[in-house]
Amino acid sequence: MAEQYDKVIEYISGLISSGELESGSRLPAERAISAELSVSRNSAREALHTLEHMGIMKSVHGSGNYLSDNMSAGMSEMFRFMLLLKQVSKDDVRRFRCDMEKMICRNIIASGRIFDLDCSEAERDRLFHYELVYTEGNKLWICLMEAISDVYREWITDVLEASDENRKNTLHKLHGAVLDALRSGDMERCEEAID
């Protein structure tokens, strides 16, 4: 059974590699996969379920199975389970996010890209961090930031709800400090504000 399952996964991977399938494409039906590969329909179904649980594929009732165009959702679930299983801590996630943002800022400064976000909008934490990573443009970082932010957002919401106006203003000012540091090309100040 495992060989048949692996055969299905390799088949789907091959379709992606050859360019026959891309994000958002409809996958062949279980029956067609089963016939094409001479595997049981159950093996095809199990392989497709695994791809769905990994966030690689999504099933649309009455329409079929499609390659996901949102891989970060599967990664978010993986991060949540890593936290539940205590394989990582909230502090690990926080430090990873800070280090990733520092690297993104370093690349923005080195490339000379203009980081153009109105500071008044920076109060909206999610928008600020998304704009930062989208300005850099690295698709892997975008995917990771979206995944981490899905998990992190729950914590930020709790922090903001428990914060008084003074703390909210401080957070807003720190976003502004990151923006000012990026605009002036001062990585040291940028890192201080992120920390």
Side-chain angles (χ1 to χ4, degrees), residues 72-149:
S72 63
M75 293 175 78
S76 295
E77 289 308 310
M78 180 187 65
F79 289 136
R80 279 188 180 87
F81 274 97
M82 290 172 72
L83 284 159
L84 286 171
L85 294 168
K86 299 188 183 345
Q87 293 178 349
V88 297
S89 68
K90 284 185 175 182
D91 192 55
D92 292 331
V93 174
R94 182 198 56 78
R95 284 185 295 130
F96 177 80
R97 183 179 186 214
C98 285
D99 289 345
M100 184 170 61
E101 287 188 350
K102 288 176 188 177
M103 183 60 79
I104 289 166
C105 289
R106 193 170 288 113
N107 286 351
I108 290 171
I109 289 171
S111 70
R113 286 186 192 98
I114 306 287
F115 187 77
D116 191 25
L117 177 67
D118 180 3
C119 195
S120 64
E121 293 183 38
E123 187 172 348
R124 293 176 46 209
D125 185 78
R126 183 174 176 216
L127 174 64
F128 175 80
H129 296 282
Y130 277 124
E131 286 297 318
L132 188 66
V133 73
Y134 283 114
T135 296
E136 201 286 328
N138 181 303
K139 290 180 181 181
L140 180 58
W141 282 345
I142 291 169
C143 188
L144 285 170
M145 179 64 85
E146 288 174 348
I148 290 289
S149 292

